[in-house]
């Protein structure tokens, strides 16, 4: 049974094992890798700094970087295994409204097609409601069938399929 946990240094070894399953340089949606400091995430000190940065993104008393919004990051875990990541952006800026949406997620390759993403998105929706949101925007690449099904399984209603600077996106709203 998966659960959502706040990013933690204790999952370092499992996180590295998951990273090794991805193609080099792959973007892990919802994983927050863009927030990683320079340096090797295999180094416990670098990893700990990044994990701390992820946790601080949810702190609305602290300003976030230019172009970013406050966001809560969770890791999806099963027992001692890091399985994936999901994040909830607390509000939308112009870019998120156009193409990024409120929620991003990814599941490590060896744990896919077992309902993990569908479960995780469903688990984050009450968190979004608790923030005061009445609906959330979730987007995916037009050809990403797995992500589109994940959103549709959670009640996503397609608003449009649009060309954006990041490619053609399917944009869904989920009422909370
Ligand atoms: C998209 C992703 C998160 C799905 O994770 P997952 O845990 O495998 O998803 P689930 O097992 O919950 O499956 C969700 C649905 O997609 C379908 N699906 C999963 N993988 C699929 C694939 N490769 N091709 C077609 N359908 C697929 C499942 O059958 C299920 O549909 P159903 O409920 O109608 O049977 C995962 O493939 C991933 O991390 N991809 C890379 C990152 C990414 O694209 N993130 C989303 C960005 S918007």
């Amino acid at each position: 049974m998966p659960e959502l946990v706040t990013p933690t240094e204790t999952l370092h070894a499992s996180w590295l094992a998951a990273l090794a399953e991805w193609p080099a340089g792959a973007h892990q949606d919802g994983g927050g890798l863009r927030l990683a400091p320079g340096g090797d995430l295999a180094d416990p000190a670098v990893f700990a700094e990044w994990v701390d940065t992820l946790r601080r993104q949810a702190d609305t008393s602290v300003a976030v970087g230019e172009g970013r919004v406050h966001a809560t990051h969770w890791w999806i875990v099963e027992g001692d295994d890091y399985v994936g990541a999901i994040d909830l952006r607390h509000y939308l800026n112009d870019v998120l409204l156009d193409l990024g949406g409120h929620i991003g997620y990814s599941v490590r390759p060896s744990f896919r097609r077992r309902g993990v993403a569908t479960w995780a998105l469903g688990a984050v929706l009450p968190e979004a409601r608790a923030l005061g949101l009445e609906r959330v925007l979730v987007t995916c690449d037009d050809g990403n069938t797995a992500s589109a099904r994940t959103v549709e399984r959670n009640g996503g209603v397609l608003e449009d399929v649009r060309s954006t600077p990041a490619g053609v996106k399917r944009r869904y709203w989920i009422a909370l």
Side-chain angles (χ1 to χ4, degrees):
M1 183 66 191
E3 59 182 323
L4 298 182
V5 301
T6 299
T8 169
E9 297 85 337
T10 61
L11 285 166
H12 191 195
S14 185
W15 186 89
L16 287 172
L19 178 68
E21 295 177 4
W22 287 80
H27 176 61
Q28 298 183 32
D29 302 82
L33 276 170
R34 289 192 182 118
L35 295 165
D40 187 354
L41 285 164
D43 177 338
V46 175
F47 188 75
E49 183 182 346
W50 174 55
V51 166
D52 188 51
T53 300
L54 291 181
R55 290 191 296 244
R56 278 189 287 111
Q57 298 297 301
D59 183 350
T60 53
S61 70
V62 178
V64 284
E66 176 73 27
R68 303 201 63 87
V69 304
H70 287 97
T72 306
H73 291 262
W74 292 273
W75 286 351
I76 310 163
V77 301
E78 283 187 12
D80 294 331
D81 288 322
Y82 169 94
V83 172
I86 187 162
D87 72 341
L88 168 64
R89 298 124 201 177
H90 296 188
Y91 43 91
L92 300 176
N93 60 21
D94 290 344
V95 174
L96 293 174
L97 178 61
D98 188 36
L99 61 93
H102 283 97
I103 298 172
Y105 44 82
S106 56
V107 171
R108 67 188 278 186
S110 63
F111 280 80
R112 289 182 188 168
R113 303 211 77 158
R114 294 172 30 186
V116 170
T118 303
W119 174 85
L121 178 56
V124 165
L125 297 180
E127 304 280 352
R129 186 76 191 101
L131 279 180
L133 299 174
E134 294 181 350
R135 60 178 190 158
V136 287
L137 178 68
V138 189
T139 70
C140 65
D141 289 342
D142 191 27
N144 191 340
T145 306
S147 189
R149 291 295 302 150
T150 298
V151 184
E152 289 162 3
R153 285 281 182 196
N154 278 286
V157 176
L158 186 67
E159 178 178 275
D160 61 7
V161 181
R162 68 169 66 166
S163 291
T164 78
V168 180
K169 297 285 181 181
R170 299 177 72 81
R171 298 171 65 263
Y172 293 90
W173 290 96
I174 302 175
L176 299 174

